[in-house]
Amino acid sequence: MIPAAPPTPGTPASTPPARPRRWLAAAATLGLWTLLGVLASAQMYFTLLAEGQPVRLWMAASAQLPFWYLWAMLTPLVVWLGRRYPVKRQGWPARAALHIACAASLALAHALALTAARRALGLATMNTFGEMYVRFATAYFHINLLAYGAILGVSHALDYARRLHEREVTASQLAAQLAQAQLRALRTQLNPHFLFNALHTVAMLVRGRQNAEAVKMLAGMSELLRHVLDDAGAQEVPLRQELALLDRYLAIERVRFHDRLRVQLDIAPDVLDLRVPNLVLQPLVENAIRHGISRRAAAGLLEISARQDDGKLWLEVRDDGPGLAAAAAYEALDRGAGVGLANTRARLERLYGGEGRFDVRDAPGTGVVATIVIPARAADAGQAAAR
């Protein structure tokens, strides 16, 4: 068995989701608050004009624009607070109380800054700074609370839309990688070397009048190919379904290797309905047979185990072959070997991020062990009952 190479740049697994540029977001934020300020200025101008109080447009703008531009300056802080302390279903009362406190504090700070700005522009109408501050704090308090809530809501909506887009991109990448895994599995079964060995075995069985065994092997090949084609599109399947596919594959290999291939399963009963990536075990077993079992003149042992520990599902495929150092010597002869393992590593990264792990190493004593660690997640009722 040889180790898998990391995903090459340019593959779907290495392409990060695009994010909007910060300057574009800043320009859009400033433009929105400017539009609101212009509308407020126009409303004040025409209202005073209708009441018989002529006022210059620039004076109306200087009276209204500071209110909105101050909120433009506060917008990054509110967005940061919303992302740092998002209001989620779990623990929402505490987060909601926190944002109410932040909104009230920023409303008072906004009134203080607005008082200073209007005095600097010569628009002070009260005798003292304190009197102006009290007036603005009470008059605009509810508006400031609404402004905070509006920024928080828009920020949450934009973040949700971005995450939804990223999930759609990730789903399309996973679909492409699943198609590659299926093609890889089909190519493994249909390559000339495999077909030659399988058909040669069938011919020997027929000549030896072992027709039942020949028919069994042909049926096994048919079932394996049908299963791979029927499961197109499924990203995850219950472990019991993955093991059923593996059993079909091993049935063919057992006929080829006769008593040279011994398979030992150690599957904990409580993991059979946990979800695993579709076609995740077959490449590991194929690699173990090709670079472990087939390199031995004597009988070889293939061990497949699955267990659950601390919320994680551990899958291991182990052989008692010559080990990684000896297997590497055959790498030049096996062009493309390791592609299935590289694909496995990339799929785990896209499906589970930092929660998934895959490594291939020398086993204690002799042979190689491939280990997959993923979150232990139960399959839904429909999946668990399938097949």
Side-chain angles (χ1 to χ4, degrees):
M1 182 182 288
I2 62 174
T8 57
T11 61
S14 62
T15 305
R19 294 181 178 271
R21 296 180 179 179
R22 290 187 176 181
W23 66 265
L24 184 60
T29 301
L30 182 61
L32 176 61
W33 288 114
T34 300
L35 176 61
L36 293 175
V38 169
L39 292 175
S41 301
Q43 182 184 22
M44 179 180 181
Y45 174 81
F46 288 111
T47 299
L48 293 176
L49 196 63
E51 294 175 354
Q53 303 179 32
V55 64
R56 294 184 179 180
L57 186 58
W58 71 267
M59 293 183 64
S62 62
Q64 293 294 323
L65 285 176
F67 178 91
W68 303 100
Y69 279 142
L70 285 172
W71 271 115
M73 297 171 62
L74 292 172
T75 296
L77 176 59
V78 178
V79 172
W80 180 84
L81 287 171
R83 291 175 177 171
R84 180 68 178 83
Y85 305 103
V87 180
K88 297 181 179 180
R89 182 175 302 177
Q90 184 177 5
W92 69 266
R95 295 294 176 91
L98 173 65
H99 283 293
I100 291 174
C102 290
S105 300
L106 289 183
L108 297 176
H110 181 276
L112 183 64
L114 182 61
T115 303
R118 288 207 174 179
R119 288 183 68 89
L121 293 171
L123 300 175
T125 58
M126 305 297 291
N127 294 330
T128 65
F129 185 95
E131 290 174 338
M132 285 188 65
Y133 172 70
V134 171
R135 177 188 175 187
F136 291 151
T138 54
Y140 295 127
F141 188 79
H142 65 289
I143 299 178
N144 286 331
L145 291 182
L146 290 175
Y148 183 98
I151 297 171
L152 195 65
V154 171
S155 173
H156 273 48
L158 292 177
D159 286 344
Y160 176 82
R162 176 178 54 82
R163 289 193 298 268
L164 179 61
H165 174 70
E166 290 176 356
R167 282 196 294 267
E168 291 173 348
V169 172
T170 301
S172 65
Q173 292 173 346
L174 285 172
Q177 290 183 348
L178 178 60
Q180 293 174 4
Q182 292 170 332
L183 290 176
R184 167 67 177 167
L186 283 174
R187 187 174 60 194
T188 299
Q189 311 311 321
L190 295 178
N191 65 59
H193 180 71
F194 177 85
L195 283 179
F196 173 80
N197 287 333
L199 294 177
H200 178 69
T201 303
V202 171
M204 291 182 60
L205 292 172
V206 172
R207 282 197 296 267
R209 299 182 180 277
Q210 296 176 295
N211 296 337
E213 292 294 329
V215 171
K216 181 179 178 181
M217 185 170 185
L218 290 174
M221 294 176 63
S222 174
E223 280 292 307
L224 180 64
L225 296 178
R226 183 193 65 80
H227 185 96
V228 172
L229 292 174
D230 284 350
D231 279 341
Q235 294 293 352
E236 293 179 308
V237 297
L239 178 59
R240 66 170 70 250
Q241 183 173 326
E242 183 74 5
L243 291 174
L245 169 65
L246 194 62
D247 184 64
R248 294 184 178 99
Y249 175 76
L250 288 173
I252 298 173
E253 296 294 348
R254 285 190 184 95
V255 176
R256 285 183 51 203
F257 286 91
H258 298 289
D259 56 355
R260 288 182 55 204
L261 174 61
R262 295 182 295 116
V263 179
Q264 180 176 316
L265 297 179
D266 182 16
I267 311 297
D270 61 338
V271 302
L272 288 174
D273 290 327
L274 298 182
R275 289 184 292 175
V276 298
N278 198 1
L279 303 176
V280 72
L281 288 177
Q282 191 272 340
L284 306 185
V285 172
E286 172 205 352
N287 215 48
I289 292 175
R290 177 185 296 181
H291 298 287
I293 306 301
S294 65
R295 306 301 184 192
R296 293 170 52 95
L301 176 63
L302 178 67
E303 298 178 86
I304 303 168
S305 64
R307 59 184 173 86
Q308 184 177 184
D309 182 32
D310 194 23
K312 299 287 186 180
L313 174 61
W314 291 68
L315 303 172
E316 287 189 350
V317 176
R318 176 175 177 173
D319 65 73
D320 58 353
L324 290 177
Y330 295 95
E331 185 173 358
L333 300 177
D334 292 310
R335 296 296 181 185
V339 173
L341 300 187
N343 184 276
T344 298
R345 192 184 304 277
R347 291 180 64 207
L348 292 177
E349 179 181 349
R350 299 305 299 171
L351 276 169
Y352 309 107
E355 295 185 87
R357 181 167 63 86
F358 174 55
D359 63 74
V360 181
R361 65 188 186 279
D362 283 312
T366 182
V368 173
V369 57
T371 305
I372 291 177
V373 183
I374 58 176
R377 299 172 181 169
D380 56 49
Q383 279 187 319
R387 289 183 171 82

